[in-house]
Amino acid sequence: MVSYSLESAAEPFGKRLGTYLRWSVVLTLWFLLTYGGTNWLASMRHNLFHIYFQWELAIPFVPWMIWAYLSLQVFFMLPLLVLNSAGLSRFGEALALATLIAAAIHLVLPAELGWARPAVVPGYPIFQRFFSFDRPHNLVPSLHVAYSGLTCMVVWNATSAGLVRYIAALWLGLLICSVSLVHQHHLADIASGLVLAAICFQWFRRGTM
């Protein structure tokens, strides 16, 4: 068995950080290409799907949860603490796979958000910048949830440290709640995002055998 956990395979932090940064660049470019491309294609279509229940539209809009939503970028750093460079590379590959699968589904199921986006959110100018580049069509599955779920599963699997595990689990719960409370995703998006995370995590684990 090849171990990706630092508990059994310590190595210099600089080596892990270098691997992490290289994958960050690659995955950012891959995301912009796939997510941006599928969103652009969906924006030109008229047969958009409505994949939500009407009662979901009563879920309140909670502006301050945008900070929880955006904390995914920090959450991504947890694997750096518990994986060696080989594990980080495998994690990067798993994220790339999740992005590819989601892009394929987004092409087949371009969706329309049930909530109307506000033109202005008082006290939160960040929403205007956020809405300017994020079009609400790549909904099912939620990549935000898929990335969050996969990160949590990898961290939980890589360490026996209870504190790290519970921080990851609680943070995941906050991230999942945030995608709905800032009106970015519906329940079907969340559920399918978790399924995608589980699939990619199983692929990740096969590389450790």
Side-chain angles (χ1 to χ4, degrees):
M1 177 180 292
V2 179
S3 175
Y4 290 159
S5 172
L6 286 176
E7 292 181 350
S8 59
E11 65 182 11
F13 179 75
K15 182 178 180 181
R16 287 151 35 212
L17 180 61
T19 301
Y20 179 88
L21 292 176
R22 285 193 296 274
W23 271 104
S24 295
V25 172
V26 170
L27 289 170
T28 297
L29 295 175
W30 179 233
F31 174 82
L32 291 174
L33 174 65
T34 56
Y35 189 89
T38 53
N39 237 339
W40 174 71
L41 290 171
S43 69
M44 297 189 294
R45 293 178 59 172
H46 301 289
N47 57 331
L48 299 176
F49 294 89
H50 297 78
I51 311 175
Y52 55 84
F53 298 104
Q54 284 299 314
W55 58 262
E56 291 182 56
L57 302 183
I59 294 174
F61 179 65
V62 183
W64 65 264
M65 285 295 286
I66 188 63
W67 304 119
Y69 182 89
L70 295 176
S71 73
L72 174 61
Q73 303 306 316
V74 181
F75 191 57
F76 272 145
M77 298 181 69
L78 287 183
L80 181 60
L81 304 178
V82 297
L83 296 176
N84 57 27
S85 57
L88 289 168
S89 291
R90 184 71 176 177
F91 176 56
E93 292 168 0
L95 288 172
L97 177 63
T99 306
L100 177 63
I101 294 173
I105 298 173
H106 293 157
L107 281 174
V108 176
L109 291 175
E112 188 166 24
L113 194 67
W115 297 290
R117 284 180 161 180
V120 177
V121 181
Y124 294 88
I126 191 171
F127 276 100
Q128 290 172 276
R129 294 192 292 272
F130 181 56
F131 291 160
S132 68
F133 67 84
D134 186 56
R135 298 290 183 258
H137 299 303
N138 291 349
L139 301 180
V140 182
S142 164
L143 262 180
H144 209 84
V145 171
Y147 290 159
S148 303
L150 177 59
T151 301
C152 183
M153 293 173 194
V154 167
V155 169
W156 190 280
N157 181 71
T159 181
S160 59
L163 180 60
V164 176
R165 283 182 163 189
Y166 292 123
I167 287 175
L170 290 172
W171 202 337
L172 172 63
L174 187 64
L175 284 162
I176 290 174
C177 290
S178 74
V179 302
S180 180
L181 293 176
V182 297
H183 288 182
Q184 279 295 104
H185 284 284
H186 295 290
L187 298 184
D189 315 342
I190 294 171
S192 55
L194 288 172
V195 170
L196 177 57
I199 291 171
C200 292
F201 174 65
Q202 290 305 314
W203 181 87
F204 171 88
R205 288 191 66 190
R206 280 202 294 272
T208 68
M209 303 302 291

